[in-house]
Amino acid sequence: MKRLLASLVLLTGLAMAQTEISFWHSMDGPAERAINQFANAFNASQRNYRVVPRLIGDYREGETRLLAALRAGGAPVLFQAEILLFPRLVAEGVVLPLDELTAALPRAFVDDLFEAAWEYGLINNRRYGLPFNTSTPVLFFNENQLRARGLKVPANWREFEQAAKGLTSRTSKGFIALSESWTFEAQVTSRGGNLVTADGRPNFTSREVVEALEYLQRLGREGSTSVRNLSESFFAQTDFIRTKGMMVFASIANWPAAENASFAFKLGVAPIPREPNGKVPLGGAQLVVLRGASAEQQRGAFEFWRFLMEPQNIKTWVEASYYVPLRKSATPLLEAFYRENPYRKVAFEQVAVAQPRPRVPQFTVWRNFLEEALEKALKGNVPARQALEEAQRKAEAAR
């Protein structure tokens, strides 16, 4: 009995000595199960910290709940900040810089991280974010129809136009165009352009942006596309599954759901078509430590992130969530996963030509003006340049 009491006292003392790291995130399904698994493994691996993960809804719900918690108190230590929310949180001063912690990282570790994901966490040369779930847009296509019509997987925009025309029939469209900012951004960066200038100004009337929208308009006039806006994303998915549209751009993280739903045909997945100087924009989120966290909580959050970045844990995360691997050294561990589906390797390794999304707090407002322009041009037949010039004026006025 004395030994039992002594053990209980010891365990209680250890629990009291541990620093709790509350972690709010927006990952559900297999990704949530993986996060819980990581937290349990990390907690068991050391005695100083205890990570407590909590699913708080999707990105939009998470943003709402975080802002409410910041006002009322009770915000977590660690938060999964959607990639465009992240700069806003930094600008509002609610996240802490992590430079002192990351300065101790070995050079070999930093070099092993894919640059675009690592660099996104820097704002004004200070480190505020740590990469976690990182995605790229990809091309989903109906492989049965592509092969039946003797078409090849498009690698550039000329080939994409040929595929869209070739896949169009009386009952289906070759391509489902989404009038939403991220997949449109991919069509701009893949041409070597950007939606925001290097000095942080809206760039909606640049050559590559106008060219990308005029290209979509031309496909529409040729009868090769159907158009859906963000609120119609469910119908876009249904169109693809029911073979009413043969190609669509979406996040690589949508792959498991698309694979499960596309039982009527074989799902094909490929990198975004791009020109030789083109890039793809990263999506996903950064992990941030919120204002009010103690020095020990900051250290614990950082150590948990280091644990997540172990190559074996990255392998587990990629296989559970289909987000892209963040370290080059994790790639060999994924060879069996890639062999299961030959499309996986080329799609996942697209991260090597990825670039950060705009790190400008106002971009969350500017993208609404851009999406209005896409809607007017693709559904209302407003000339591309005219629609984009209006979006540019609105964005500049909102700076």
Side-chain angles (χ1 to χ4, degrees), residues 312-338:
Q312 186 62 44
N313 290 337
I314 289 177
K315 172 182 179 291
T316 299
W317 176 244
V318 171
E319 292 175 350
S321 67
Y322 277 58
Y323 284 101
V324 299
L326 292 177
R327 293 184 66 180
K328 303 178 185 85
S329 58
T331 300
L333 304 179
L334 290 161
E335 286 301 322
F337 178 68
Y338 290 153

Side-chain angles (χ1 to χ4, degrees), residues 101-140:
L101 293 169
T102 58
L105 289 171
R107 185 73 250 174
F109 176 93
V110 174
D111 290 343
D112 192 40
L113 292 163
F114 281 105
E115 184 178 1
W118 179 239
E119 290 301 311
Y120 193 85
L122 286 173
I123 294 182
N124 296 327
N125 294 318
R126 300 201 72 184
R127 166 72 52 187
Y128 291 95
L130 301 168
F132 174 46
N133 60 304
T134 301
S135 60
T136 61
V138 292
L139 172 66
F140 292 112

Side-chain angles (χ1 to χ4, degrees), residues 37-172:
Q37 174 186 331
F38 293 143
N40 290 336
F42 175 74
N43 294 344
S45 71
Q46 45 74 49
R47 296 181 175 180
N48 295 324
Y49 311 107
R50 185 169 67 92
V51 173
V52 182
R54 179 183 175 190
L55 172 63
I56 55 167
D58 62 23
Y59 285 142
R60 292 180 186 271
E61 292 171 316
E63 177 181 347
T64 300
R65 295 182 71 170
L66 175 67
L67 296 178
L70 288 169
R71 288 191 297 268
V77 171
L78 189 62
F79 180 73
Q80 182 192 22
E82 190 269 332
I83 210 161
L84 292 184
L85 173 64
F86 166 65
R88 177 183 160 193
L89 295 179
V90 173
E92 294 177 357
V94 299
V95 299
L96 297 174
L98 303 170
D99 303 89
E100 291 186 10
L101 293 169
T102 58
L105 289 171
R107 185 73 250 174
F109 176 93
V110 174
D111 290 343
D112 192 40
L113 292 163
F114 281 105
E115 184 178 1
W118 179 239
E119 290 301 311
Y120 193 85
L122 286 173
I123 294 182
N124 296 327
N125 294 318
R126 300 201 72 184
R127 166 72 52 187
Y128 291 95
L130 301 168
F132 174 46
N133 60 304
T134 301
S135 60
T136 61
V138 292
L139 172 66
F140 292 112
F141 61 92
N142 185 317
E143 182 179 336
N144 296 40
Q145 290 298 316
L146 194 81
R147 303 302 180 194
R149 302 183 191 202
L151 300 167
K152 63 179 180 179
V153 179
N156 56 48
W157 291 110
R158 179 181 56 80
E159 293 175 356
F160 183 83
E161 185 170 0
Q162 293 171 347
K165 290 179 181 177
L167 289 168
T168 298
S169 68
R170 184 177 57 83
T171 58
S172 64

Side-chain angles (χ1 to χ4, degrees), residues 54-325:
R54 179 183 175 190
L55 172 63
I56 55 167
D58 62 23
Y59 285 142
R60 292 180 186 271
E61 292 171 316
E63 177 181 347
T64 300
R65 295 182 71 170
L66 175 67
L67 296 178
L70 288 169
R71 288 191 297 268
V77 171
L78 189 62
F79 180 73
Q80 182 192 22
E82 190 269 332
I83 210 161
L84 292 184
L85 173 64
F86 166 65
R88 177 183 160 193
L89 295 179
V90 173
E92 294 177 357
V94 299
V95 299
L96 297 174
L98 303 170
D99 303 89
E100 291 186 10
L101 293 169
T102 58
L105 289 171
R107 185 73 250 174
F109 176 93
V110 174
D111 290 343
D112 192 40
L113 292 163
F114 281 105
E115 184 178 1
W118 179 239
E119 290 301 311
Y120 193 85
L122 286 173
I123 294 182
N124 296 327
N125 294 318
R126 300 201 72 184
R127 166 72 52 187
Y128 291 95
L130 301 168
F132 174 46
N133 60 304
T134 301
S135 60
T136 61
V138 292
L139 172 66
F140 292 112
F141 61 92
N142 185 317
E143 182 179 336
N144 296 40
Q145 290 298 316
L146 194 81
R147 303 302 180 194
R149 302 183 191 202
L151 300 167
K152 63 179 180 179
V153 179
N156 56 48
W157 291 110
R158 179 181 56 80
E159 293 175 356
F160 183 83
E161 185 170 0
Q162 293 171 347
K165 290 179 181 177
L167 289 168
T168 298
S169 68
R170 184 177 57 83
T171 58
S172 64
K173 299 294 185 181
F175 174 54
I176 304 167
L178 301 174
S179 57
E180 84 57 52
S181 61
W182 187 47
T183 52
F184 180 73
E185 182 180 351
Q187 296 169 66
V188 173
T189 59
S190 66
R191 290 173 163 87
N194 286 287
L195 295 179
V196 175
T197 64
D199 61 351
R201 297 174 60 86
N203 197 36
F204 299 160
T205 54
S206 64
R207 177 181 61 81
E208 295 87 356
V209 178
V210 175
E211 180 183 304
L213 188 50
E214 288 179 340
Y215 177 91
L216 291 176
Q217 283 192 313
R218 185 172 71 251
L219 289 183
R221 287 194 299 270
E222 293 168 351
S224 300
T225 63
S226 60
V227 180
R228 296 290 191 181
N229 60 34
L230 194 58
S231 66
E232 298 170 326
S233 57
F234 172 79
F235 299 105
Q237 296 169 22
T238 303
D239 290 344
F240 183 67
I241 292 165
R242 296 178 60 204
T243 68
K244 298 297 182 182
M246 298 299 175
M247 298 188 294
V248 67
F249 297 131
S251 169
I252 198 169
N254 294 132
W255 194 333
E259 204 163 40
N260 290 336
S262 58
F263 51 83
F265 58 89
K266 184 176 180 181
L267 178 69
V269 187
I272 294 291
R274 62 185 182 89
E275 303 309 320
N277 64 333
K279 300 285 187 179
V280 292
L282 290 179
Q286 293 269 311
L287 297 186
V288 297
V289 177
L290 294 168
R291 184 181 62 208
S294 69
E296 194 61 17
Q297 286 174 323
Q298 294 173 51
R299 166 64 64 181
F302 177 72
E303 291 302 323
F304 179 55
W305 173 78
R306 283 288 306 270
F307 179 81
L308 294 175
M309 291 298 104
E310 291 181 7
Q312 186 62 44
N313 290 337
I314 289 177
K315 172 182 179 291
T316 299
W317 176 244
V318 171
E319 292 175 350
S321 67
Y322 277 58
Y323 284 101
V324 299

